[in-house]
Amino acid sequence: MSKETREIVIPSQLLGDIKDKKAGRGTFIEKGKIYAEVLGVLNINPEYINVVPLKGRYDPIQNDFVIGIIIEAMSSSWLVDINAAYPALLHVNEVPWDVDFGETEKYLNMGDTVMAKVLSVDQEKKLQITLKDRNLYKVKGGLIIDAEPSKVPRIIGKKASMISLIKKYTNSRIFVGQNGRIWIDGEPNRVKKVIDIINMIEQESLSYGLTNKIEDLLKKYTKDVH
Amino acid sequence: MKTDIKLLENGKRLDGRKYDELRPIKIEAGVLHRAEGSCYLEWGGNKVLAAVYGPREAVPRHTQNPLRAIVNARYNMAAFSVDDRKRPGPDRRSREISKVISEALENVIILENFPRASIDVNIEVIDAEAGTRCAGLTAAAVALVDAGIPMRDIPVSCAAGKIDGQVVIDLGKNEDNYGQADLPVAISPRTGEILLMQMDGHLTMDEFNQALDLAIKGCHIISDLQKKAIMEKYQKITEVK
């Protein structure tokens, strides 16, 4: 990782030439030059020029774990809002229960929350999700908060370092969906601490050594409690 | 239109501006909490608020395009934005402006990323003083960037016109009402492509070229202000240590 300050780029900003680097995510090529297409943070590695977006909708990718809210129960499937540009389809074959035709509402109804996996994204961006994987189920209890989808990698940390740190010190159960929804369950004052920490990570997502800083904070917190 | 108002005196305009001087402009990005992106813009006496929602699935369904997103810009003037109360609701004029702004924005947004979706841009004119379509489009562009929507360029708009036989930039209210021509132009500043151009009144070929050059010059000045406004909002995030 380079130590120089992170540079914010805006759409149409010239980033380089295709002779030197490849155009990565968040960029487009015109007449042999690479330009930024979204508002984001410039990230140059030896091969690619990337722009990591600061804002914007969640772009679903196959096998992402997400938290969805049921918006409609149809006779053999559900429509689920996963914070993407389009609602996702959850078919009865993709749930762990044996659902009779027309009885979907008995299992999942409008407003229910599920932890799910993105099963497929087709060319028209039609989305399908599934509950058939380990640790996927209907959410009971706990609290869901929204974060910016582009900040999720930061909240999870490298090899889940950040999130396991928070889990360890606050002793609460946390599930971070790639779509920016975070489920937290535990004692109320601990849940509150988790929310504070996550808000802090979101706000300072661009600073360096954040994991260490958060760890110090959590250590101090656990001392206060005991 | 015959009037007694003298629009030019000693090379100065009614509000004391030179012929190639813009009205003061203030742009602020990200002012609304619920919208994905937003912008508040003051341009002379114009006060405009733009909000972006989406990309989200386009409704009604028949408006969807399976290959790309559609842009729904909606230009609306508040009833209290003009001297005589304006009858609220869409009318012939606001529908026309909504359409031309939508088409201008369609040319810079990377629509292929969001098939079947719509990107909704609401432009609300709170206070009007000539040149609201330029102000609206300029604000909409900043709101789109703020929403994190992929774009090839940040469009920008500015008008030029003719008053008392002189080609001038950025007409004010009286200049628009009693002047001889008005030429709003929107460009893509990176490539110089023209995204929107309308003309009201009469200009000779020479005057037209002169007015177009002047408007494009104005666009580039405003483009810098737009970029500065976005940077101002987001630079803060990187400074937090």
Side-chain angles (χ1 to χ4, degrees):
Chain A
M1 223 199 255
S2 61
K3 266 289 167 193
E4 53 211 71
T5 50
R6 299 180 195 220
E7 193 193 341
I8 301 268
V9 292
I10 52 178
S12 80
Q13 195 167 324
L14 181 66
L15 301 178
D17 207 289
I18 45 170
K19 284 179 208 128
D20 311 324
K21 299 262 173 148
K22 285 180 188 163
R25 284 179 300 131
T27 63
F28 70 95
I29 302 168
E30 202 174 288
K31 289 181 188 152
K33 296 266 193 286
I34 302 170
Y35 297 94
E37 67 169 26
V38 287
L39 175 73
V41 181
L42 189 61
N43 175 314
I44 299 180
N45 59 31
E47 218 178 325
Y48 286 97
I49 295 181
N50 291 313
V51 176
V52 183
L54 275 176
K55 285 182 98 181
R57 284 273 170 166
Y58 163 62
D59 187 21
I61 299 167
Q62 202 173 356
N63 294 334
D64 269 2
F65 287 98
V66 295
I67 294 177
I69 298 168
I70 311 286
I71 44 179
E72 197 181 330
M74 296 177 298
S75 41
S76 64
S77 59
W78 293 270
L79 277 185
V80 187
D81 166 31
I82 59 164
N83 210 16
Y86 320 90
L89 194 83
L90 174 63
H91 194 257
V92 283
N93 290 344
E94 297 298 338
V95 296
W97 317 294
D98 195 5
V99 184
D100 283 332
F101 182 83
E103 300 210 321
T104 49
E105 285 182 17
K106 283 187 185 167
Y107 297 86
L108 289 169
N109 213 340
M110 235 173 91
D112 285 345
T113 308
V114 287
M115 291 172 187
K117 192 176 88 170
V118 178
L119 184 70
S120 67
V121 183
D122 76 358
Q123 276 200 325
E124 269 186 52
K125 294 239 172 172
K126 286 201 167 133
L127 310 173
Q128 273 219 54
I129 57 171
T130 178
L131 290 190
K132 281 190 170 170
D133 202 322
R134 65 198 165 85
N135 294 334
L136 295 181
Y137 45 84
K138 182 178 163 184
V139 175
K140 287 182 188 112
L143 187 78
I144 286 176
I145 62 167
D146 287 316
E148 199 64 52
S150 57
K151 304 276 166 69
V152 166
R154 215 53 186 139
I155 294 166
I156 294 174
K158 265 192 196 141
K159 287 181 187 160
S161 59
M162 184 79 85
I163 200 71
S164 49
L165 207 66
I166 301 173
K167 278 181 192 165
K168 193 175 122 198
Y169 282 102
T170 60
N171 205 7
S172 43
R173 296 196 294 157
I174 307 171
F175 178 94
V176 183
Q178 290 292 328
N179 57 349
R181 291 206 179 112
I182 302 164
W183 175 79
I184 313 159
D185 193 18
E187 279 175 46
N189 56 343
R190 289 185 172 176
V191 170
K192 193 174 169 292
K193 189 68 200 170
V194 176
I195 295 172
D196 287 347
I197 295 276
I198 286 170
N199 283 338
M200 198 179 126
I201 298 169
E202 256 201 288
Q203 253 161 34
E204 301 191 15
S205 61
L206 297 177
S207 55
Y208 295 98
L210 191 58
T211 317
N212 295 335
K213 198 173 162 187
I214 296 287
E215 186 163 15
D216 292 343
L217 221 113
L218 285 163
K219 271 181 189 158
K220 206 172 138 236
Y221 163 72
T222 38
K223 253 184 226 156
D224 290 346
V225 171
H226 300 301
Chain B
M1 198 186 285
K2 284 266 182 246
T3 71
D4 297 334
I5 299 180
K6 258 191 102 59
L7 295 170
L8 272 174
E9 215 157 357
N10 307 327
K12 286 264 177 88
R13 297 203 247 162
L14 284 176
D15 47 7
R17 285 187 287 157
K18 284 184 283 237
Y19 77 97
D20 61 348
E21 200 176 334
L22 291 164
R23 287 175 285 179
I25 298 173
K26 196 189 103 190
I27 308 176
E28 203 180 325
V31 288
L32 299 177
H33 176 62
R34 302 287 299 200
E36 252 109 342
S38 58
C39 170
Y40 174 68
L41 176 140
E42 282 182 20
W43 183 333
N46 292 316
K47 296 191 175 96
V48 179
L49 197 53
V52 172
Y53 297 85
R56 56 188 176 189
E57 197 173 40
V59 279
R61 266 228 167 123
H62 69 84
T63 61
Q64 289 180 0
N65 185 327
L67 298 175
R68 59 187 197 86
I70 54 168
V71 178
N72 277 331
R74 191 181 131 270
Y75 167 100
N76 186 43
M77 267 176 120
F80 50 79
S81 64
V82 277
D83 287 344
D84 291 319
R85 184 185 128 92
K86 181 196 169 283
R87 213 178 115 89
D91 53 15
R92 188 196 57 76
R93 178 175 171 277
S94 71
R95 281 184 48 176
E96 170 200 314
I97 297 176
S98 301
K99 182 173 180 292
V100 293
I101 290 180
S102 299
E103 283 166 6
L105 295 176
E106 270 176 7
N107 283 300
V108 290
I109 299 174
I110 301 176
L111 298 164
E112 300 79 40
N113 288 6
F114 308 104
R116 301 188 295 119
S118 78
I119 295 166
D120 300 330
V121 184
N122 292 335
I123 301 161
E124 210 67 38
V125 179
I126 300 163
D127 209 346
E129 196 213 20
T132 52
R133 76 189 67 194
C134 295
L137 181 56
T138 306
V142 175
L144 282 165
V145 176
D146 184 43
I149 287 169
M151 293 158 85
R152 288 195 182 84
D153 204 353
I154 306 168
V156 59
S157 176
C158 183
K162 189 171 120 182
I163 53 168
D164 285 358
Q166 165 77 39
V167 175
V168 296
I169 198 171
D170 188 23
L171 301 180
K173 192 177 173 221
N174 283 319
E175 295 169 342
D176 191 17
N177 290 350
Y178 306 115
Q180 288 135 12
D182 183 15
L183 179 83
V185 175
I187 63 162
S188 162
R190 183 171 56 83
T191 57
E193 279 174 286
I194 290 175
L195 302 171
L196 177 153
M197 184 161 70
Q198 295 181 305
M199 188 168 86
D200 188 11
H202 302 282
L203 290 173
T204 65
M205 201 63 205
D206 274 351
E207 282 167 344
F208 173 81
N209 287 329
Q210 215 183 328
L212 184 61
D213 287 345
L214 209 52
I216 289 174
K217 205 180 115 197
C219 284
H220 284 291
I221 297 170
I222 300 160
S223 174
D224 290 339
L225 293 174
Q226 282 178 313
K227 287 171 184 164
K228 224 176 89 195
I230 299 160
M231 279 310 208
E232 235 163 58
K233 165 107 201 277
Y234 289 98
Q235 207 76 69
K236 280 183 219 146
I237 307 171
T238 43
E239 279 164 11
V240 179
K241 278 282 158 195

